[in-house]
Amino acid sequence: MLYQTTRDLVNIEKNIMILVTGATGHLGSSVVHHLHHLVQKNEFSVLARNPEKAQSLIDQGIEVRMGDFNDIETLIQAFKGVEKLLLISTMEMNRFEQHQNVIDAAKIAGVKHVVYTGLAIQDIERSGVKDLMISHFQTEAYLQKSGLDYTLVRNSMYADAIPVILGQSIFKDGILLPGGDGKVPYALREEMGEGLARLLVQEGHNNKIYHFTGSKAYSYQDIARELSELTQANMHYQNIEDDTFEKLLNDINMPEFLVYLTKGTLYDIKHHQYEIQSQDLETILGRKTKDLHGMLKVLYPI
């Protein structure tokens, strides 16, 4: 089904080169923004579950197809005529089942190529968030066995997550995290969105695995030093114990799921799980990603 407005339903009759799922989310919005500059509006479409949330896309003249990851029949209808599908991973607890629905529907609908956004990590079996993140690798295996052409894009941590993890009291208390001396090759979500958009419109990426990471990795000590220079504050990083960090999260009434996710992420950073060096993203962008100073200027505008 295709919505030209939030009220009018018409049948899908034309082929479309690219379809982007998750287009109303942060990463998906960035992909759509950059596709605008790379192809014509009639060459790509987006998938949405809620027409109201997609209204801004409709207002831009972008074709919005309605579908629900939990309802394979809606996906089959939405994917008709699509050649290349970008599956942006969800954050639902039944993520793998949802992704199976997307891949199965794509195959039935005649989609030729699926691009999937996964996770760039050293060893998922040793991850502090294995229970949640292993679904990325289950999805990859399922897609590879589907018979569809695929591209697996394993994303490092978004730089945009830095302020979320550091919290709001860093300029008063400093950076208090159990991250050890681990480093992360951060990249801005906007850079990853541009990289995905460029990949979608290029040929030659069939059945390949890419790691979308920043050009250089940084520790929390690096972040503290750079923030000190950027803000003229005397910032410091203290590597605290896991139990102390959990108490800090509980003291601010963080929901249980977010406590699990944040603790597990810091565990992985501390144990060097994100320290993957790759030039894949900068190669597709045609330039190096922003350095730490550039990223923090975006994240902490002064």
Side-chain angles (χ1 to χ4, degrees):
M1 293 179 291
L2 158 68
Y3 274 84
Q4 297 284 26
T5 71
T6 56
R7 294 181 299 275
D8 301 325
L9 271 169
V10 298
N11 292 325
I12 296 175
E13 296 179 350
K14 64 177 181 177
N15 290 349
I16 198 84
M17 184 175 73
I18 296 165
L19 186 140
V20 177
T21 73
T24 59
H26 294 298
L27 180 60
S29 297
S30 176
V31 174
V32 169
H33 170 75
H34 288 287
L35 281 175
H36 269 157
H37 301 288
L38 297 171
V39 295
Q40 299 298 314
K41 287 182 182 179
N42 64 357
E43 295 182 273
F44 73 93
S45 179
V46 302
L47 184 78
R49 182 175 61 181
N50 186 321
E52 283 71 32
K53 288 185 178 180
Q55 186 61 55
S56 63
L57 298 171
I58 296 169
D59 292 341
Q60 295 174 57
I62 297 171
E63 179 186 270
V64 177
R65 301 184 177 195
M66 307 309 299
D68 188 329
F69 278 16
N70 296 308
D71 185 345
I72 190 171
E73 294 302 323
T74 66
L75 298 176
I76 294 169
Q77 180 67 14
F79 296 164
K80 287 182 178 179
V82 172
E83 294 181 19
K84 191 178 295 183
L85 170 70
L86 173 61
L87 170 53
I88 294 179
S89 55
T90 73
M91 278 297 290
E92 302 295 330
M93 293 308 295
N94 66 331
R95 173 161 59 192
F96 178 47
E97 289 77 13
Q98 289 184 326
H99 293 171
Q100 284 179 305
N101 283 342
V102 173
I103 294 166
D104 291 345
K107 192 169 183 177
I108 294 169
V111 174
K112 295 180 175 63
H113 187 170
V114 174
V115 178
Y116 176 68
T117 63
L119 176 67
I121 195 169
Q122 293 279 6
D123 183 1
I124 189 60
E125 294 297 331
R126 297 189 293 110
S127 172
V129 283
K130 174 185 173 182
D131 290 349
L132 176 64
M133 298 303 180
I134 198 168
S135 57
H136 282 304
F137 298 92
Q138 292 171 328
T139 299
E140 288 186 356
Y142 193 78
L143 178 55
Q144 288 174 304
K145 294 176 181 177
S146 69
L148 296 167
D149 282 346
Y150 63 86
T151 307
L152 307 180
V153 181
R154 296 174 177 171
N155 291 342
S156 184
M157 188 181 300
Y158 302 133
D160 311 67
I162 291 174
V164 178
I165 292 180
L166 265 53
Q168 299 179 353
S169 63
I170 57 168
F171 296 103
K172 177 168 65 82
D173 302 326
I175 298 173
L176 307 176
L177 295 172
D181 61 355
K183 295 185 177 184
V184 178
Y186 298 103
L188 289 166
R189 189 184 286 116
E190 185 69 12
E191 294 173 312
M192 292 192 182
E194 181 182 349
L196 284 166
R198 291 185 178 278
L199 185 149
L200 286 168
V201 301
Q202 295 171 358
E203 299 299 328
H205 299 298
N206 297 41
N207 304 327
K208 293 184 178 180
I209 300 174
Y210 297 116
H211 291 84
F212 272 17
T213 70
S215 300
K216 186 176 179 181
Y218 301 97
S219 68
Y220 284 116
Q221 185 62 53
D222 295 327
I223 292 173
R225 186 182 305 113
E226 194 62 51
L227 273 177
S228 293
E229 294 182 11
L230 186 65
T231 65
Q232 302 302 306
N234 186 19
M235 187 71 60
H236 66 276
Y237 163 55
Q238 183 179 348
N239 177 37
I240 62 177
E241 296 296 325
D242 293 344
D243 291 345
T244 303
F245 182 60
E246 183 173 4
K247 184 178 185 304
L248 290 174
L249 298 182
N250 289 328
D251 286 346
I252 61 172
N253 297 315
M254 180 176 282
E256 184 178 349
F257 171 75
L258 291 181
V259 171
Y260 161 76
L261 180 60
T262 307
K263 277 186 57 184
T265 299
L266 268 295
Y267 176 90
D268 286 347
I269 292 173
K270 182 177 182 178
H271 290 85
H272 310 283
Q273 284 270 44
Y274 285 95
E275 293 175 26
I276 294 173
Q277 290 187 320
S278 171
Q279 283 72 52
D280 292 341
L281 178 56
E282 65 179 58
T283 297
I284 289 176
L285 291 176
R287 65 180 188 275
K288 288 186 178 296
T289 60
K290 284 186 182 294
D291 62 12
L292 183 59
H293 180 80
M295 289 187 288
L296 292 178
K297 281 190 70 174
V298 173
L299 300 171
Y300 293 93
I302 297 175

